[in-house]
Amino acid sequence: MFAAIDQMMARLYPTRRWDERDDEAAFRAGVAPAEGEALAGALAARLKAQAIFRPGATEEYCDYVYVLCLGRPPSLLELREGLVPAGASEAAEADGPALNELYLRVALSSVARCAGVQEVAMRLERAPGGALVVTEAPRTGVFDPVLLKRFRTLVAVLAEMEIRHLDFGEIVEPPADFDPGDYAARYGGAPALANYLFYPQPCSAVTTTVLDDAVPRSFEKRAI
């Protein structure tokens, strides 16, 4: 794996500086969106779980497949991404505990033919002002024992699709002898290997999404 990473980094960053990626070398060198959608279908069948492909954000250089491991459809991911129609279930009072779900999140690089897998917790709760908020909290790898069987199967499916799996625990540190450029000013700290290959934000960065008023009442009933 380390030899493959060294080859990727030498090809993509010949100047060994984070903000000087060779765009020509990166062009069409990664996992295509159609392959990501195919991976989601394969994982749904093999793991007998919801698996959803989502394109990465504008500033990211990866797409994602989320595999729901603890929770039930319709999922918080569907709610956050607007994939659930509003008013999908009967009315319910807004009380009760928050809703928590656990996912395996696959990052599929668009600049190199590789993938990294993280354990991700999602939580739906009502903020003090009354708004519904979805929080996504990734970990720097996969640690919960309940996920390990599915994780092993997921890695096997990646191998079958000839997508190299990179152990996330091995790519959360900065690469040796690379110039971090302006990363610290933009994100704080130094860029990890994962930030060169998948996305710029810190690997365990938590994101929050405030939902609009058109939240399916099924989620009100289940969680809030």
Side-chain angles (χ1 to χ4, degrees):
M1 185 186 81
F2 295 108
I5 290 175
D6 288 344
Q7 291 173 4
M8 293 176 197
M9 294 291 285
R11 176 177 59 83
L12 293 169
Y13 299 92
T15 65
R16 304 177 71 84
R17 181 181 167 96
W18 177 75
D19 52 1
E20 292 181 353
R21 185 173 62 230
D22 185 336
D23 290 336
E24 184 175 344
F27 183 66
R28 293 184 178 178
V31 182
E35 292 181 286
E37 293 175 345
L39 175 64
L43 291 176
R46 290 279 287 274
L47 299 175
K48 295 179 173 57
Q50 183 186 79
I52 297 177
F53 171 81
R54 298 307 294 164
T58 303
E59 69 276 9
E60 297 176 321
Y61 20 97
C62 71
D63 295 320
Y64 298 99
V65 173
Y66 287 79
V67 180
L68 179 62
C69 297
L70 183 61
R72 60 183 175 85
S75 64
L76 293 185
L77 177 67
E78 291 175 285
L79 177 63
R80 187 187 71 179
E81 300 295 313
L83 303 177
V84 179
S89 189
E90 61 191 44
E93 293 298 322
D95 54 17
L99 177 63
N100 296 283
E101 293 179 346
L102 197 59
Y103 296 78
L104 289 172
R105 187 182 76 179
V106 188
L108 299 167
S109 177
S110 59
V111 299
R113 195 165 180 79
C114 61
V117 185
Q118 293 176 266
E119 172 184 334
V120 168
M122 284 199 192
R123 180 179 178 88
L124 174 69
E125 57 189 337
R126 192 175 294 283
L132 288 172
V133 177
V134 174
T135 302
E136 177 175 349
R139 300 182 69 183
T140 55
V142 178
F143 303 98
D144 194 318
V146 75
L147 301 177
L148 295 182
K149 183 177 180 180
R150 281 178 168 169
F151 172 63
R152 287 191 289 268
T153 301
L154 191 160
V155 171
V157 174
L158 288 172
E160 291 167 10
M161 295 185 66
E162 299 183 342
I163 301 172
R164 180 178 290 276
H165 169 249
L166 303 183
D167 184 342
F168 226 91
E170 303 291 349
I171 58 173
V172 294
E173 297 296 331
D177 302 321
F178 269 69
D179 183 343
D182 64 351
Y183 188 89
R186 296 171 62 183
Y187 298 100
L193 270 167
N195 301 131
Y196 288 83
L197 298 173
F198 296 109
Y199 50 71
Q201 65 269 22
C203 299
S204 57
V206 175
T207 60
T208 58
T209 304
V210 179
L211 305 177
D212 61 24
D213 293 333
V215 174
R217 291 171 178 174
S218 57
F219 285 94
E220 295 265 354
K221 184 174 182 179
R222 286 168 60 188
I224 301 300

